[in-house]
Each structure stands twice: as structure tokens, then as C-alpha cells.
Amino acid sequence: MTTMLVDIVSSEEQIFSGEAEYLVAPGYEGELGVYPHHIQLINRLKPGVLRVKLPNHEMHLVFAISGGFLEVQGNKATVLADVVERSDDLDEAKLVEQKKLAEERIKQSGATINEDDAKAYAALELIIAQLKAVEYSNKQARRS
């Protein structure tokens, strides 16, 4: 089995570094699958779910990311994002409540968008990514 090195880094710390069979990242043109010995690539990522398949493990590591960049060079993939959170660390009920609050905030903002509204949209995008990561992890757990 061939593997590649994957590094996942947030603005605050390195979240993961290790061997992987592949990773799937949320690109703006659709999901990007990166396998060992992939061509060189730099791509912008949108908020969403990042999945990493570890060797000899049935389940993926699942992360919610705020967007960022994916760089593939040699046999190494690096994901750089402001916010990276493992799905295991997320509280689904709390996220559902935060999503409701963010949606209400956006509804109240009206037709003009200011800096606070842009922050609210960005927060909502991240919350949705977090909920998708939790959902994916829950599906994996039911299958195994």
C-alpha cells in the first residue's frame, strides 16, 4: 500500500501530521481527491469537510475547516486553514443553536451588508461545515 504525508495546520497549531492513503478536501470547483504521488497543486479551499483516510483504518479522520489552501508537492499534501476542528470535538446540539442564531442575525441585517454581516455569513459557513463534519462522522460510526 502506498501512502503520502499529510499535514493539517490551523492558524494556531498543527492539527495533524501523518501518513494517509488519501484525502478529500472541499474545493470551490468541487471536492478534491488527493492520492499518493499526485501532481503538484495549489488550490483554494472553501469552508467544508476535510476527510483523511489513514492506512489500516476503516474510518476517516473528519475535520471541519473554515476554508484555506491545499498544497500538494512531491508525496506530501498540506492543508492550511484559519480554523480546523476534528468532528469528534464538536457538539452537534450547540452547533444547531449557533446556526439558528446566525441565521436570525443575517435575516435582521436587511438589504445592506456591512462588515458585521460579512462576519455573520462567514460564521454561518463554518457552522454549516462543522455540522456536515459531525453528520459524516455519525454516518461512519453507524456503518462500522
Side-chain angles (χ1 to χ4, degrees):
M1 167 182 15
T2 304
T3 62
M4 64 183 180
L5 179 62
V6 173
D7 285 328
I8 302 171
V9 182
S10 77
S11 61
E12 297 175 1
E13 63 183 321
Q14 183 166 26
I15 305 296
F16 172 81
S17 182
E19 295 294 315
E21 290 181 25
Y22 62 87
L23 72 82
V24 179
Y28 277 92
E29 303 294 320
E31 287 191 323
L32 296 160
V34 177
Y35 288 81
H37 308 292
H38 194 281
I39 62 169
Q40 288 188 4
L41 162 76
I42 294 180
N43 205 319
R44 196 165 146 230
L45 301 176
K46 68 179 186 176
V49 178
L50 174 70
R51 302 186 315 263
V52 178
K53 174 67 171 77
L54 299 178
N56 305 315
H57 286 79
E58 193 172 315
M59 295 175 54
H60 293 89
L61 291 179
V62 181
F63 303 89
I65 65 168
S66 62
F69 291 91
L70 167 66
E71 178 184 21
V72 180
Q73 192 168 13
N75 201 33
K76 180 180 180 183
T78 303
V79 175
L80 304 167
D82 285 338
V83 178
V84 181
E85 295 177 289
R86 276 200 61 171
S87 61
D88 301 347
D89 298 334
L90 299 171
D91 180 341
E92 186 173 13
K94 186 176 176 183
L95 289 170
V96 168
E97 184 60 32
Q98 288 175 343
K99 182 177 182 259
K100 286 180 191 174
L101 292 172
E103 288 171 338
E104 287 173 17
R105 166 85 173 94
I106 289 168
K107 275 185 190 175
Q108 293 172 355
S109 67
T112 59
I113 296 178
N114 60 33
E115 187 177 332
D116 289 340
D117 297 333
K119 288 178 183 176
Y121 279 107
L124 180 59
E125 280 186 319
L126 179 58
I127 292 166
I128 290 169
Q130 291 167 326
L131 284 167
K132 286 180 181 178
V134 169
E135 181 181 321
Y136 187 88
S137 289
N138 290 343
K139 282 181 186 178
Q140 275 193 125
R142 286 192 294 268
R143 280 189 246 148
S144 57

